[in-house]
Amino acid sequence: MIPDNENLVIYEMIFELRCRQKKGSEFQSFFEKIMFKIDPSFIAIKPSGKEGDWKCDGFSKNTGTVYQCYSPEDLGKSSTASKAAKKVKDDFEGAKIHWAKEMRQWIFVWSADGQLPPQVLKTLTTIEADNQDLIIDNWSQESLWRKVSQLAKNELEIIIEFSLNLAAAPETTAIEVESLLSYLTRQELEPIQTDLGHIDLQDKLDKNNLTPRVQTLIKNAMPIVKIVEDYTRRHPDIEYSGIIAQVLTNKYRSLLKENRRDSNAIFFALINFVSLEKMTQDKFFWASIGIVSHYFELCDIFEK
């Protein structure tokens, strides 16, 4: 059974996080996991000594497709983009040599945010124009998600290593909250002015265009928000809550600098940060939502 549309919004955000987290060989392994689910004829290629992988990170027998993965730290930088363009050209030319008889299609799989830089797009366009006997394509995060989202719910959850469990929300306790808050207070801080004035939650949810499903998650976490509020209010260090607010505000601003403009993606990136990347553990997932939701009301994370 494919997840309903509301849960797919949540799963898409988690999928995007997974793509952002995985670089280099980790992203290739993630891609392989996806392909094994969507293409029974897919074969993963592992490097062999000095000869490497013959410019092929995976091969589909049914379609004669050679896949090449690329997941740099920042494809938006001009230096990285130039290297990526050269890699695309070298990988394709190498694949033509090693897989001349088998290759009917060549696909460049990339995990960077946003769009391809012009250097890479130009290289791909040139390759396509010069090799009209082959199908040339590129798959982005969005391309991969469109394929993954068609999988059955249990298979999708295996890939993203996450399962949404609403029943775990009321089971979350101060133990999980305290553990995560303690982690946040140990982070290095950049001095900023943080306003802890309380504002109307619904107004802020609406202003930031958080989807109804994300809003439902926040509302389900309101009992945990109360735990966070009680814990921080009673803490003997009067600066405790302000420190946490600073950490979250700094993280929020760093996400904006990464050109993450989608409020839902930022919300889940903050949850992932707060949870110590333990979102697969139900109680830590809900504790993280409770913490982010509490400071969502109180400080400069998201627009007021």
Side-chain angles (χ1 to χ4, degrees), residues 176-177 179-184 228 244 247-248 251 267-279 284-293 295 301:
E176 291 80 29
V177 169
S179 173
L180 297 181
L181 289 176
S182 296
Y183 157 71
L184 291 175
V228 176
I244 295 168
V247 170
L248 291 175
K251 182 62 177 178
F267 184 80
F268 276 92
L270 285 170
I271 292 172
N272 188 58
F273 169 67
V274 171
S275 72
L276 293 163
E277 300 186 4
K278 293 180 180 177
M279 289 195 300
F284 280 105
F285 173 70
W286 285 105
S288 302
I289 293 181
I291 292 169
V292 173
S293 299
Y295 288 95
I301 55 172

PDB file of all heavy atoms in Angstrom, residues 176-177 179-184 228 244 247-248 251 267-279 284-293 295 301:
ATOM      1  N   GLU A 176      13.408  11.912  27.270  1.00  0.00           N
ATOM      2  CA  GLU A 176      13.870  12.185  25.917  1.00  0.00           C
ATOM      3  C   GLU A 176      14.093  13.684  25.708  1.00  0.00           C
ATOM      4  O   GLU A 176      15.071  14.099  25.091  1.00  0.00           O
ATOM      5  CB  GLU A 176      12.856  11.675  24.889  1.00  0.00           C
ATOM      6  CG  GLU A 176      12.737  10.162  24.797  1.00  0.00           C
ATOM      7  CD  GLU A 176      11.862   9.562  25.891  1.00  0.00           C
ATOM      8  OE1 GLU A 176      10.935  10.271  26.358  1.00  0.00           O
ATOM      9  OE2 GLU A 176      12.109   8.402  26.278  1.00  0.00           O
ATOM     10  N   VAL A 177      13.191  14.495  26.257  1.00  0.00           N
ATOM     11  CA  VAL A 177      13.306  15.945  26.129  1.00  0.00           C
ATOM     12  C   VAL A 177      14.591  16.441  26.789  1.00  0.00           C
ATOM     13  O   VAL A 177      15.360  17.207  26.199  1.00  0.00           O
ATOM     14  CB  VAL A 177      12.084  16.649  26.748  1.00  0.00           C
ATOM     15  CG1 VAL A 177      12.326  18.155  26.857  1.00  0.00           C
ATOM     16  CG2 VAL A 177      10.838  16.363  25.926  1.00  0.00           C
ATOM     17  N   SER A 179      17.339  14.813  27.446  1.00  0.00           N
ATOM     18  CA  SER A 179      18.515  14.332  26.724  1.00  0.00           C
ATOM     19  C   SER A 179      18.846  15.239  25.539  1.00  0.00           C
ATOM     20  O   SER A 179      20.005  15.625  25.335  1.00  0.00           O
ATOM     21  CB  SER A 179      18.264  12.898  26.241  1.00  0.00           C
ATOM     22  OG  SER A 179      19.307  12.464  25.399  1.00  0.00           O
ATOM     23  N   LEU A 180      17.835  15.616  24.773  1.00  0.00           N
ATOM     24  CA  LEU A 180      18.066  16.440  23.594  1.00  0.00           C
ATOM     25  C   LEU A 180      18.369  17.889  23.954  1.00  0.00           C
ATOM     26  O   LEU A 180      19.214  18.529  23.319  1.00  0.00           O
ATOM     27  CB  LEU A 180      16.847  16.361  22.669  1.00  0.00           C
ATOM     28  CG  LEU A 180      16.544  14.970  22.099  1.00  0.00           C
ATOM     29  CD1 LEU A 180      15.337  15.023  21.184  1.00  0.00           C
ATOM     30  CD2 LEU A 180      17.747  14.393  21.354  1.00  0.00           C
ATOM     31  N   LEU A 181      17.706  18.416  24.975  1.00  0.00           N
ATOM     32  CA  LEU A 181      17.992  19.787  25.403  1.00  0.00           C
ATOM     33  C   LEU A 181      19.426  19.904  25.912  1.00  0.00           C
ATOM     34  O   LEU A 181      20.104  20.910  25.664  1.00  0.00           O
ATOM     35  CB  LEU A 181      17.009  20.228  26.490  1.00  0.00           C
ATOM     36  CG  LEU A 181      15.561  20.469  26.045  1.00  0.00           C
ATOM     37  CD1 LEU A 181      14.690  20.813  27.246  1.00  0.00           C
ATOM     38  CD2 LEU A 181      15.477  21.582  25.003  1.00  0.00           C
ATOM     39  N   SER A 182      19.889  18.884  26.620  1.00  0.00           N
ATOM     40  CA  SER A 182      21.271  18.893  27.122  1.00  0.00           C
ATOM     41  C   SER A 182      22.257  18.928  25.977  1.00  0.00           C
ATOM     42  O   SER A 182      23.284  19.616  26.028  1.00  0.00           O
ATOM     43  CB  SER A 182      21.526  17.659  27.994  1.00  0.00           C
ATOM     44  OG  SER A 182      20.705  17.677  29.144  1.00  0.00           O
ATOM     45  N   TYR A 183      21.943  18.196  24.907  1.00  0.00           N
ATOM     46  CA  TYR A 183      22.798  18.214  23.717  1.00  0.00           C
ATOM     47  C   TYR A 183      22.849  19.618  23.120  1.00  0.00           C
ATOM     48  O   TYR A 183      23.921  20.124  22.765  1.00  0.00           O
ATOM     49  CB  TYR A 183      22.271  17.221  22.680  1.00  0.00           C
ATOM     50  CG  TYR A 183      22.681  17.515  21.260  1.00  0.00           C
ATOM     51  CD1 TYR A 183      24.001  17.340  20.845  1.00  0.00           C
ATOM     52  CD2 TYR A 183      21.755  17.988  20.334  1.00  0.00           C
ATOM     53  CE1 TYR A 183      24.377  17.624  19.552  1.00  0.00           C
ATOM     54  CE2 TYR A 183      22.124  18.276  19.032  1.00  0.00           C
ATOM     55  CZ  TYR A 183      23.437  18.091  18.638  1.00  0.00           C
ATOM     56  OH  TYR A 183      23.818  18.374  17.356  1.00  0.00           O
ATOM     57  N   LEU A 184      21.710  20.278  23.019  1.00  0.00           N
ATOM     58  CA  LEU A 184      21.662  21.603  22.408  1.00  0.00           C
ATOM     59  C   LEU A 184      22.475  22.623  23.191  1.00  0.00           C
ATOM     60  O   LEU A 184      23.130  23.492  22.615  1.00  0.00           O
ATOM     61  CB  LEU A 184      20.205  22.075  22.285  1.00  0.00           C
ATOM     62  CG  LEU A 184      19.339  21.317  21.280  1.00  0.00           C
ATOM     63  CD1 LEU A 184      17.899  21.815  21.345  1.00  0.00           C
ATOM     64  CD2 LEU A 184      19.884  21.469  19.866  1.00  0.00           C
ATOM     65  N   VAL A 228       8.435  20.494  27.510  1.00  0.00           N
ATOM     66  CA  VAL A 228       9.594  21.348  27.240  1.00  0.00           C
ATOM     67  C   VAL A 228       9.464  22.665  27.998  1.00  0.00           C
ATOM     68  O   VAL A 228      10.420  23.136  28.636  1.00  0.00           O
ATOM     69  CB  VAL A 228       9.730  21.627  25.723  1.00  0.00           C
ATOM     70  CG1 VAL A 228      10.884  22.591  25.451  1.00  0.00           C
ATOM     71  CG2 VAL A 228       9.931  20.324  24.950  1.00  0.00           C
ATOM     72  N   ILE A 244      19.325  27.636  24.356  1.00  0.00           N
ATOM     73  CA  ILE A 244      18.712  26.729  23.376  1.00  0.00           C
ATOM     74  C   ILE A 244      18.117  27.523  22.218  1.00  0.00           C
ATOM     75  O   ILE A 244      18.259  27.150  21.048  1.00  0.00           O
ATOM     76  CB  ILE A 244      17.631  25.867  24.056  1.00  0.00           C
ATOM     77  CG1 ILE A 244      18.283  24.945  25.097  1.00  0.00           C
ATOM     78  CG2 ILE A 244      16.868  25.041  23.022  1.00  0.00           C
ATOM     79  CD1 ILE A 244      17.314  24.277  26.017  1.00  0.00           C
ATOM     80  N   VAL A 247      20.881  28.527  19.886  1.00  0.00           N
ATOM     81  CA  VAL A 247      21.361  27.400  19.081  1.00  0.00           C
ATOM     82  C   VAL A 247      20.417  27.149  17.906  1.00  0.00           C
ATOM     83  O   VAL A 247      20.850  26.978  16.759  1.00  0.00           O
ATOM     84  CB  VAL A 247      21.490  26.128  19.952  1.00  0.00           C
ATOM     85  CG1 VAL A 247      21.756  24.906  19.078  1.00  0.00           C
ATOM     86  CG2 VAL A 247      22.606  26.289  20.971  1.00  0.00           C
ATOM     87  N   LEU A 248      19.123  27.127  18.196  1.00  0.00           N
ATOM     88  CA  LEU A 248      18.151  26.860  17.143  1.00  0.00           C
ATOM     89  C   LEU A 248      18.090  28.003  16.127  1.00  0.00           C
ATOM     90  O   LEU A 248      17.937  27.762  14.923  1.00  0.00           O
ATOM     91  CB  LEU A 248      16.771  26.613  17.754  1.00  0.00           C
ATOM     92  CG  LEU A 248      16.633  25.306  18.542  1.00  0.00           C
ATOM     93  CD1 LEU A 248      15.261  25.214  19.198  1.00  0.00           C
ATOM     94  CD2 LEU A 248      16.854  24.101  17.637  1.00  0.00           C
ATOM     95  N   LYS A 251      21.092  27.676  13.880  1.00  0.00           N
ATOM     96  CA  LYS A 251      20.899  26.573  12.931  1.00  0.00           C
ATOM     97  C   LYS A 251      19.915  26.976  11.847  1.00  0.00           C
ATOM     98  O   LYS A 251      20.137  26.690  10.654  1.00  0.00           O
ATOM     99  CB  LYS A 251      20.392  25.328  13.673  1.00  0.00           C
ATOM    100  CG  LYS A 251      20.206  24.109  12.771  1.00  0.00           C
ATOM    101  CD  LYS A 251      21.528  23.665  12.152  1.00  0.00           C
ATOM    102  CE  LYS A 251      21.365  22.413  11.310  1.00  0.00           C
ATOM    103  NZ  LYS A 251      22.632  22.011  10.659  1.00  0.00           N
ATOM    104  N   PHE A 267      11.898  22.843   8.563  1.00  0.00           N
ATOM    105  CA  PHE A 267      11.334  22.289   9.797  1.00  0.00           C
ATOM    106  C   PHE A 267      11.906  20.898  10.070  1.00  0.00           C
ATOM    107  O   PHE A 267      12.330  20.589  11.191  1.00  0.00           O
ATOM    108  CB  PHE A 267       9.810  22.234   9.689  1.00  0.00           C
ATOM    109  CG  PHE A 267       9.112  21.772  10.945  1.00  0.00           C
ATOM    110  CD1 PHE A 267       8.904  22.646  11.993  1.00  0.00           C
ATOM    111  CD2 PHE A 267       8.679  20.467  11.066  1.00  0.00           C
ATOM    112  CE1 PHE A 267       8.274  22.216  13.156  1.00  0.00           C
ATOM    113  CE2 PHE A 267       8.054  20.028  12.215  1.00  0.00           C
ATOM    114  CZ  PHE A 267       7.842  20.911  13.270  1.00  0.00           C
ATOM    115  N   PHE A 268      11.948  20.061   9.040  1.00  0.00           N
ATOM    116  CA  PHE A 268      12.460  18.703   9.240  1.00  0.00           C
ATOM    117  C   PHE A 268      13.971  18.684   9.417  1.00  0.00           C
ATOM    118  O   PHE A 268      14.501  17.814  10.119  1.00  0.00           O
ATOM    119  CB  PHE A 268      12.017  17.791   8.095  1.00  0.00           C
ATOM    120  CG  PHE A 268      10.643  17.242   8.296  1.00  0.00           C
ATOM    121  CD1 PHE A 268       9.541  17.892   7.784  1.00  0.00           C
ATOM    122  CD2 PHE A 268      10.439  16.098   9.047  1.00  0.00           C
ATOM    123  CE1 PHE A 268       8.270  17.415   7.991  1.00  0.00           C
ATOM    124  CE2 PHE A 268       9.168  15.610   9.263  1.00  0.00           C
ATOM    125  CZ  PHE A 268       8.068  16.265   8.737  1.00  0.00           C
ATOM    126  N   ALA A 269      14.671  19.629   8.804  1.00  0.00           N
ATOM    127  CA  ALA A 269      16.116  19.726   9.037  1.00  0.00           C
ATOM    128  C   ALA A 269      16.393  20.088  10.486  1.00  0.00           C
ATOM    129  O   ALA A 269      17.338  19.579  11.099  1.00  0.00           O
ATOM    130  CB  ALA A 269      16.735  20.757   8.101  1.00  0.00           C
ATOM    131  N   LEU A 270      15.578  20.960  11.061  1.00  0.00           N
ATOM    132  CA  LEU A 270      15.733  21.319  12.477  1.00  0.00           C
ATOM    133  C   LEU A 270      15.422  20.128  13.378  1.00  0.00           C
ATOM    134  O   LEU A 270      16.117  19.882  14.371  1.00  0.00           O
ATOM    135  CB  LEU A 270      14.817  22.491  12.833  1.00  0.00           C
ATOM    136  CG  LEU A 270      15.256  23.866  12.324  1.00  0.00           C
ATOM    137  CD1 LEU A 270      14.144  24.888  12.530  1.00  0.00           C
ATOM    138  CD2 LEU A 270      16.528  24.333  13.034  1.00  0.00           C
ATOM    139  N   ILE A 271      14.385  19.384  13.046  1.00  0.00           N
ATOM    140  CA  ILE A 271      14.053  18.188  13.833  1.00  0.00           C
ATOM    141  C   ILE A 271      15.202  17.194  13.788  1.00  0.00           C
ATOM    142  O   ILE A 271      15.593  16.606  14.802  1.00  0.00           O
ATOM    143  CB  ILE A 271      12.763  17.533  13.302  1.00  0.00           C
ATOM    144  CG1 ILE A 271      11.555  18.426  13.571  1.00  0.00           C
ATOM    145  CG2 ILE A 271      12.541  16.167  13.956  1.00  0.00           C
ATOM    146  CD1 ILE A 271      10.288  17.933  12.916  1.00  0.00           C
ATOM    147  N   ASN A 272      15.759  17.001  12.610  1.00  0.00           N
ATOM    148  CA  ASN A 272      16.878  16.075  12.456  1.00  0.00           C
ATOM    149  C   ASN A 272      18.069  16.526  13.296  1.00  0.00           C
ATOM    150  O   ASN A 272      18.737  15.720  13.953  1.00  0.00           O
ATOM    151  CB  ASN A 272      17.275  15.983  10.993  1.00  0.00           C
ATOM    152  CG  ASN A 272      18.292  14.899  10.727  1.00  0.00           C
ATOM    153  OD1 ASN A 272      18.055  13.731  11.025  1.00  0.00           O
ATOM    154  ND2 ASN A 272      19.420  15.270  10.163  1.00  0.00           N
ATOM    155  N   PHE A 273      18.345  17.837  13.291  1.00  0.00           N
ATOM    156  CA  PHE A 273      19.437  18.413  14.082  1.00  0.00           C
ATOM    157  C   PHE A 273      19.198  18.199  15.575  1.00  0.00           C
ATOM    158  O   PHE A 273      20.087  17.726  16.300  1.00  0.00           O
ATOM    159  CB  PHE A 273      19.554  19.899  13.764  1.00  0.00           C
ATOM    160  CG  PHE A 273      20.454  20.672  14.687  1.00  0.00           C
ATOM    161  CD1 PHE A 273      21.819  20.443  14.711  1.00  0.00           C
ATOM    162  CD2 PHE A 273      19.931  21.643  15.541  1.00  0.00           C
ATOM    163  CE1 PHE A 273      22.655  21.157  15.560  1.00  0.00           C
ATOM    164  CE2 PHE A 273      20.754  22.364  16.392  1.00  0.00           C
ATOM    165  CZ  PHE A 273      22.121  22.121  16.409  1.00  0.00           C
ATOM    166  N   VAL A 274      18.013  18.512  16.037  1.00  0.00           N
ATOM    167  CA  VAL A 274      17.697  18.393  17.465  1.00  0.00           C
ATOM    168  C   VAL A 274      17.714  16.944  17.918  1.00  0.00           C
ATOM    169  O   VAL A 274      18.141  16.628  19.031  1.00  0.00           O
ATOM    170  CB  VAL A 274      16.315  19.030  17.763  1.00  0.00           C
ATOM    171  CG1 VAL A 274      15.869  18.735  19.191  1.00  0.00           C
ATOM    172  CG2 VAL A 274      16.369  20.539  17.533  1.00  0.00           C
ATOM    173  N   SER A 275      17.288  16.047  17.047  1.00  0.00           N
ATOM    174  CA  SER A 275      17.167  14.635  17.434  1.00  0.00           C
ATOM    175  C   SER A 275      18.494  13.893  17.409  1.00  0.00           C
ATOM    176  O   SER A 275      18.521  12.680  17.672  1.00  0.00           O
ATOM    177  CB  SER A 275      16.193  13.921  16.488  1.00  0.00           C
ATOM    178  OG  SER A 275      16.777  13.743  15.213  1.00  0.00           O
ATOM    179  N   LEU A 276      19.589  14.596  17.120  1.00  0.00           N
ATOM    180  CA  LEU A 276      20.884  13.931  16.955  1.00  0.00           C
ATOM    181  C   LEU A 276      20.811  12.881  15.854  1.00  0.00           C
ATOM    182  O   LEU A 276      21.466  11.843  15.914  1.00  0.00           O
ATOM    183  CB  LEU A 276      21.322  13.251  18.270  1.00  0.00           C
ATOM    184  CG  LEU A 276      21.647  14.168  19.433  1.00  0.00           C
ATOM    185  CD1 LEU A 276      21.650  13.388  20.738  1.00  0.00           C
ATOM    186  CD2 LEU A 276      22.997  14.803  19.237  1.00  0.00           C
ATOM    187  N   GLU A 277      19.969  13.165  14.854  1.00  0.00           N
ATOM    188  CA  GLU A 277      19.733  12.249  13.738  1.00  0.00           C
ATOM    189  C   GLU A 277      19.188  10.907  14.219  1.00  0.00           C
ATOM    190  O   GLU A 277      19.450   9.861  13.631  1.00  0.00           O
ATOM    191  CB  GLU A 277      20.998  12.075  12.893  1.00  0.00           C
ATOM    192  CG  GLU A 277      21.503  13.380  12.301  1.00  0.00           C
ATOM    193  CD  GLU A 277      22.655  13.215  11.343  1.00  0.00           C
ATOM    194  OE1 GLU A 277      23.043  12.064  11.068  1.00  0.00           O
ATOM    195  OE2 GLU A 277      23.168  14.240  10.852  1.00  0.00           O
ATOM    196  N   LYS A 278      18.385  10.948  15.297  1.00  0.00           N
ATOM    197  CA  LYS A 278      17.765   9.735  15.841  1.00  0.00           C
ATOM    198  C   LYS A 278      16.267   9.691  15.540  1.00  0.00           C
ATOM    199  O   LYS A 278      15.478   9.190  16.329  1.00  0.00           O
ATOM    200  CB  LYS A 278      17.970   9.670  17.359  1.00  0.00           C
ATOM    201  CG  LYS A 278      19.408   9.473  17.798  1.00  0.00           C
ATOM    202  CD  LYS A 278      19.493   9.421  19.311  1.00  0.00           C
ATOM    203  CE  LYS A 278      20.929   9.220  19.781  1.00  0.00           C
ATOM    204  NZ  LYS A 278      21.020   9.231  21.267  1.00  0.00           N
ATOM    205  N   MET A 279      15.868  10.228  14.394  1.00  0.00           N
ATOM    206  CA  MET A 279      14.446  10.278  14.081  1.00  0.00           C
ATOM    207  C   MET A 279      13.822   8.903  13.905  1.00  0.00           C
ATOM    208  O   MET A 279      12.607   8.759  13.938  1.00  0.00           O
ATOM    209  CB  MET A 279      14.204  11.122  12.833  1.00  0.00           C
ATOM    210  CG  MET A 279      14.418  12.605  13.057  1.00  0.00           C
ATOM    211  SD  MET A 279      13.716  13.614  11.738  1.00  0.00           S
ATOM    212  CE  MET A 279      14.608  13.012  10.325  1.00  0.00           C
ATOM    213  N   PHE A 284      12.333   9.984  20.400  1.00  0.00           N
ATOM    214  CA  PHE A 284      13.240  11.091  20.086  1.00  0.00           C
ATOM    215  C   PHE A 284      12.671  11.937  18.942  1.00  0.00           C
ATOM    216  O   PHE A 284      12.844  13.153  18.917  1.00  0.00           O
ATOM    217  CB  PHE A 284      14.632  10.572  19.734  1.00  0.00           C
ATOM    218  CG  PHE A 284      15.463  10.225  20.932  1.00  0.00           C
ATOM    219  CD1 PHE A 284      15.679   8.909  21.297  1.00  0.00           C
ATOM    220  CD2 PHE A 284      16.024  11.226  21.717  1.00  0.00           C
ATOM    221  CE1 PHE A 284      16.434   8.593  22.412  1.00  0.00           C
ATOM    222  CE2 PHE A 284      16.787  10.921  22.833  1.00  0.00           C
ATOM    223  CZ  PHE A 284      16.994   9.601  23.185  1.00  0.00           C
ATOM    224  N   PHE A 285      12.006  11.298  18.010  1.00  0.00           N
ATOM    225  CA  PHE A 285      11.357  12.036  16.926  1.00  0.00           C
ATOM    226  C   PHE A 285      10.324  13.006  17.490  1.00  0.00           C
ATOM    227  O   PHE A 285      10.318  14.198  17.157  1.00  0.00           O
ATOM    228  CB  PHE A 285      10.694  11.053  15.956  1.00  0.00           C
ATOM    229  CG  PHE A 285       9.854  11.702  14.887  1.00  0.00           C
ATOM    230  CD1 PHE A 285      10.435  12.423  13.868  1.00  0.00           C
ATOM    231  CD2 PHE A 285       8.472  11.571  14.908  1.00  0.00           C
ATOM    232  CE1 PHE A 285       9.664  13.019  12.876  1.00  0.00           C
ATOM    233  CE2 PHE A 285       7.690  12.158  13.924  1.00  0.00           C
ATOM    234  CZ  PHE A 285       8.289  12.881  12.904  1.00  0.00           C
ATOM    235  N   TRP A 286       9.464  12.517  18.359  1.00  0.00           N
ATOM    236  CA  TRP A 286       8.412  13.366  18.911  1.00  0.00           C
ATOM    237  C   TRP A 286       8.973  14.387  19.897  1.00  0.00           C
ATOM    238  O   TRP A 286       8.488  15.524  19.962  1.00  0.00           O
ATOM    239  CB  TRP A 286       7.324  12.515  19.551  1.00  0.00           C
ATOM    240  CG  TRP A 286       6.458  11.867  18.525  1.00  0.00           C
ATOM    241  CD1 TRP A 286       6.462  10.560  18.149  1.00  0.00           C
ATOM    242  CD2 TRP A 286       5.492  12.515  17.695  1.00  0.00           C
ATOM    243  NE1 TRP A 286       5.563  10.346  17.145  1.00  0.00           N
ATOM    244  CE2 TRP A 286       4.945  11.526  16.848  1.00  0.00           C
ATOM    245  CE3 TRP A 286       5.038  13.822  17.580  1.00  0.00           C
ATOM    246  CZ2 TRP A 286       3.957  11.818  15.911  1.00  0.00           C
ATOM    247  CZ3 TRP A 286       4.056  14.121  16.648  1.00  0.00           C
ATOM    248  CH2 TRP A 286       3.530  13.130  15.823  1.00  0.00           C
ATOM    249  N   ALA A 287       9.988  14.013  20.657  1.00  0.00           N
ATOM    250  CA  ALA A 287      10.621  14.986  21.555  1.00  0.00           C
ATOM    251  C   ALA A 287      11.218  16.135  20.743  1.00  0.00           C
ATOM    252  O   ALA A 287      11.127  17.305  21.138  1.00  0.00           O
ATOM    253  CB  ALA A 287      11.702  14.309  22.393  1.00  0.00           C
ATOM    254  N   SER A 288      11.802  15.817  19.602  1.00  0.00           N
ATOM    255  CA  SER A 288      12.388  16.845  18.738  1.00  0.00           C
ATOM    256  C   SER A 288      11.318  17.778  18.193  1.00  0.00           C
ATOM    257  O   SER A 288      11.509  19.000  18.138  1.00  0.00           O
ATOM    258  CB  SER A 288      13.134  16.196  17.576  1.00  0.00           C
ATOM    259  OG  SER A 288      14.148  15.338  18.044  1.00  0.00           O
ATOM    260  N   ILE A 289      10.193  17.216  17.781  1.00  0.00           N
ATOM    261  CA  ILE A 289       9.094  18.056  17.297  1.00  0.00           C
ATOM    262  C   ILE A 289       8.600  18.972  18.417  1.00  0.00           C
ATOM    263  O   ILE A 289       8.334  20.161  18.202  1.00  0.00           O
ATOM    264  CB  ILE A 289       7.935  17.192  16.760  1.00  0.00           C
ATOM    265  CG1 ILE A 289       8.362  16.450  15.505  1.00  0.00           C
ATOM    266  CG2 ILE A 289       6.716  18.078  16.456  1.00  0.00           C
ATOM    267  CD1 ILE A 289       7.280  15.597  14.895  1.00  0.00           C
ATOM    268  N   GLY A 290       8.509  18.416  19.635  1.00  0.00           N
ATOM    269  CA  GLY A 290       8.071  19.231  20.763  1.00  0.00           C
ATOM    270  C   GLY A 290       9.012  20.388  21.047  1.00  0.00           C
ATOM    271  O   GLY A 290       8.583  21.517  21.292  1.00  0.00           O
ATOM    272  N   ILE A 291      10.317  20.131  20.977  1.00  0.00           N
ATOM    273  CA  ILE A 291      11.318  21.179  21.237  1.00  0.00           C
ATOM    274  C   ILE A 291      11.278  22.243  20.148  1.00  0.00           C
ATOM    275  O   ILE A 291      11.228  23.443  20.430  1.00  0.00           O
ATOM    276  CB  ILE A 291      12.726  20.561  21.342  1.00  0.00           C
ATOM    277  CG1 ILE A 291      12.826  19.705  22.613  1.00  0.00           C
ATOM    278  CG2 ILE A 291      13.801  21.652  21.347  1.00  0.00           C
ATOM    279  CD1 ILE A 291      14.071  18.838  22.677  1.00  0.00           C
ATOM    280  N   VAL A 292      11.301  21.809  18.886  1.00  0.00           N
ATOM    281  CA  VAL A 292      11.279  22.769  17.781  1.00  0.00           C
ATOM    282  C   VAL A 292       9.979  23.570  17.805  1.00  0.00           C
ATOM    283  O   VAL A 292       9.981  24.790  17.583  1.00  0.00           O
ATOM    284  CB  VAL A 292      11.457  22.051  16.423  1.00  0.00           C
ATOM    285  CG1 VAL A 292      11.250  23.027  15.263  1.00  0.00           C
ATOM    286  CG2 VAL A 292      12.846  21.426  16.331  1.00  0.00           C
ATOM    287  N   SER A 293       8.866  22.919  18.100  1.00  0.00           N
ATOM    288  CA  SER A 293       7.578  23.611  18.139  1.00  0.00           C
ATOM    289  C   SER A 293       7.532  24.639  19.259  1.00  0.00           C
ATOM    290  O   SER A 293       6.982  25.737  19.090  1.00  0.00           O
ATOM    291  CB  SER A 293       6.438  22.602  18.314  1.00  0.00           C
ATOM    292  OG  SER A 293       6.400  21.685  17.239  1.00  0.00           O
ATOM    293  N   TYR A 295      10.068  26.357  20.566  1.00  0.00           N
ATOM    294  CA  TYR A 295      10.875  27.519  20.202  1.00  0.00           C
ATOM    295  C   TYR A 295      10.405  28.159  18.900  1.00  0.00           C
ATOM    296  O   TYR A 295      10.738  29.316  18.625  1.00  0.00           O
ATOM    297  CB  TYR A 295      12.351  27.145  20.173  1.00  0.00           C
ATOM    298  CG  TYR A 295      12.874  26.939  21.574  1.00  0.00           C
ATOM    299  CD1 TYR A 295      12.931  25.668  22.137  1.00  0.00           C
ATOM    300  CD2 TYR A 295      13.234  28.030  22.362  1.00  0.00           C
ATOM    301  CE1 TYR A 295      13.365  25.488  23.447  1.00  0.00           C
ATOM    302  CE2 TYR A 295      13.665  27.855  23.668  1.00  0.00           C
ATOM    303  CZ  TYR A 295      13.725  26.584  24.201  1.00  0.00           C
ATOM    304  OH  TYR A 295      14.135  26.418  25.508  1.00  0.00           O
ATOM    305  N   ILE A 301      13.108  31.439  14.880  1.00  0.00           N
ATOM    306  CA  ILE A 301      13.156  30.393  13.853  1.00  0.00           C
ATOM    307  C   ILE A 301      11.851  30.494  13.089  1.00  0.00           C
ATOM    308  O   ILE A 301      10.779  30.505  13.669  1.00  0.00           O
ATOM    309  CB  ILE A 301      13.387  28.983  14.439  1.00  0.00           C
ATOM    310  CG1 ILE A 301      12.369  28.608  15.507  1.00  0.00           C
ATOM    311  CG2 ILE A 301      14.778  28.866  14.998  1.00  0.00           C
ATOM    312  CD1 ILE A 301      12.456  27.167  15.956  1.00  0.00           C
TER     313      ILE A 301
END
